[in-house]
């Protein structure tokens, strides 16, 4: 039944519009990839993705989304294609580039893969991945810096309040009493050095997003060959306490 559905869908409109782009990239001919990128349906899909969270209807069907296309372009050494995609979908392509490079790095480290990947990563792509790390870093460090410097904001607020521009500066003053504002610079620097980037966690989430399929064993979404039913059953037996 599911097979019939998949065929009908493919005939009318592709289930994964970016499949055409991925095939073009994997042909190793950059001209094909540029032609695919000129296609309006592909451009629209990149600008407003409908397939990032979509699970293929067929168990053997390949999933094609911005992550798989960027990964293919990285493997086929087509940095200009990645950058063109970035113009259309900056946040997704930045994250996808980080993911592709992270995977290359970890595969290289564990020597898990027999595939030969480009040895030289284009500096533009390395920068894109680095900017993703900076975004994460800022998300974690930003609130700490804000608390640390809130006395400056409290002073500004007090000045405005005197001029009748703001009602109250009590919130900043409460924050200004936080111990973090009184730490010596050296100690605060030490705290910042412990801020860890959530790279492994993000990679796990993205891997699930890209590879999960409807599992024949447990009827849930699982990464093929890594059914999580056993682990879930074990957790259920241990009860809610074990989970927290
Ligand atoms: Zn399963």
């Amino acid at each position: 039944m599911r097979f019939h559905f998949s065929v009908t869908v493919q005939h009318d409109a592709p289930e994964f519009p970016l499949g055409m782009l991925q095939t073009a990239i994997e042909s190793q001919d950059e001209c094909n990839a540029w032609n695919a990128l000129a296609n309006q349906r592909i451009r629209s899909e990149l600008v407003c993705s409908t397939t990032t969270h979509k699970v293929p209807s067929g168990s053997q069907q390949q999933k094609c989304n911005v992550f798989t296309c960027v990964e293919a372009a990285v493997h086929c050494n087509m940095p200009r294609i990645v950058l063109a995609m970035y113009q259309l979908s900056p946040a997704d392509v930045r994250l996808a580039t980080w993911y592709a490079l992270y995977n290359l790095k970890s595969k290289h480290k564990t020597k898990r893969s027999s595939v030969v990947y480009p040895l030289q990563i284009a500096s533009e792509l390395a920068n894109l991945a680095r900017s993703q790390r900076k975004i994460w870093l800022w998300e974690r460090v930003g609130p700490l810096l804000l608390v640390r410097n809130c006395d400056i904001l409290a002073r500004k607020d007090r000045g405005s309040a005197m001029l009748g521009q703001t009602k109250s500066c009590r919130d900043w003053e409460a924050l200004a009493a936080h111990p973090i504002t009184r730490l010596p610079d050296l100690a605060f620097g030490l705290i910042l050095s412990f801020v860890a980037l959530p790279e492994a966690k993000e990679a796990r989430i993205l891997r699930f997003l890209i590879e999960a399929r409807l599992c024949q064993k447990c009827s849930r979404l699982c990464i093929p060959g890594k059914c999580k039913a056993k682990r879930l059953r074990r957790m259920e037996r241990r009860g809610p306490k074990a989970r927290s």
Side-chain angles (χ1 to χ4, degrees):
M1 285 291 273
R2 210 158 43 217
F3 181 67
H4 279 289
F5 175 69
S6 157
V7 169
T8 323
V9 169
Q10 270 186 352
H11 185 73
D12 297 329
E15 195 175 1
F16 290 96
L18 293 186
M20 196 180 129
L21 175 61
Q22 186 154 338
T23 309
I25 292 169
E26 285 167 351
S27 75
Q28 309 262 359
D29 183 342
E30 203 169 315
C31 284
N32 291 342
W34 285 115
N35 286 338
L37 265 183
N39 179 297
Q40 194 48 50
R41 181 185 271 166
I42 287 177
R43 297 175 77 83
S44 309
E45 176 60 28
L46 283 169
V47 171
C48 190
S49 168
T50 57
T51 50
T52 308
H53 295 83
K54 193 170 181 179
V55 179
S57 54
S59 59
Q60 298 300 313
Q61 197 192 355
Q62 196 186 3
K63 180 167 177 163
C64 297
N65 61 19
V66 63
F67 291 97
T68 61
C69 285
V70 167
E71 193 153 38
V74 169
H75 290 179
C76 295
N77 208 7
M78 294 187 193
R80 293 189 310 158
I81 294 295
V82 177
L83 296 175
M85 290 170 72
Y86 176 69
Q87 298 300 320
L88 297 167
S89 177
D92 282 355
V93 172
R94 192 170 46 225
L95 183 59
T97 305
W98 166 80
Y99 181 66
L101 298 195
Y102 178 87
N103 270 345
L104 272 187
K105 206 169 57 187
S106 40
K107 275 177 189 157
H108 188 73
K109 251 189 222 163
T110 54
K111 296 192 171 61
R112 261 188 293 137
S113 176
S114 55
V115 186
V116 181
Y117 294 114
L119 289 174
Q120 286 266 307
I121 295 292
S123 60
E124 296 94 328
L125 298 191
N127 287 342
L128 215 53
R130 218 170 289 135
S131 65
Q132 179 62 44
R133 288 169 56 92
K134 278 184 194 153
I135 287 171
W136 281 330
L137 198 61
W138 180 244
E139 277 170 7
R140 308 206 136 202
V141 166
L144 289 177
L145 291 179
L146 194 69
V147 176
R148 172 91 175 154
N149 294 308
C150 64
D151 57 326
I152 301 170
L153 296 163
R155 246 178 284 146
K156 263 193 186 168
D157 240 17
R158 227 174 287 137
S160 310
M162 268 159 43
L163 295 170
Q165 282 165 353
T166 53
K167 276 185 267 168
S168 156
C169 50
R170 258 177 297 168
D171 291 346
W172 290 126
E173 297 205 325
L175 272 180
H178 194 281
I180 215 166
T181 60
R182 274 176 261 137
L183 282 177
D185 283 347
L186 206 65
F188 184 65
L190 203 63
I191 290 179
L192 290 188
S193 72
F194 282 111
V195 173
L197 289 176
E199 291 198 297
K201 189 179 157 204
E202 279 292 332
R204 268 201 306 277
I205 295 170
L206 287 175
R207 186 177 173 211
F208 187 78
L209 199 69
I210 293 163
E211 296 182 25
R213 296 282 187 279
L214 192 65
C215 179
Q216 306 291 332
K217 282 187 195 162
C218 71
S219 307
R220 290 188 179 98
L221 286 178
C222 291
I223 291 176
K226 290 186 185 275
C227 178
K228 58 183 186 276
K230 250 191 206 168
R231 191 161 54 86
L232 285 173
R233 267 201 305 273
R234 222 170 26 230
M235 274 163 67
E236 275 161 21
R237 270 204 303 273
R238 280 187 213 150
K241 268 184 196 164
R243 247 168 287 172
S244 56

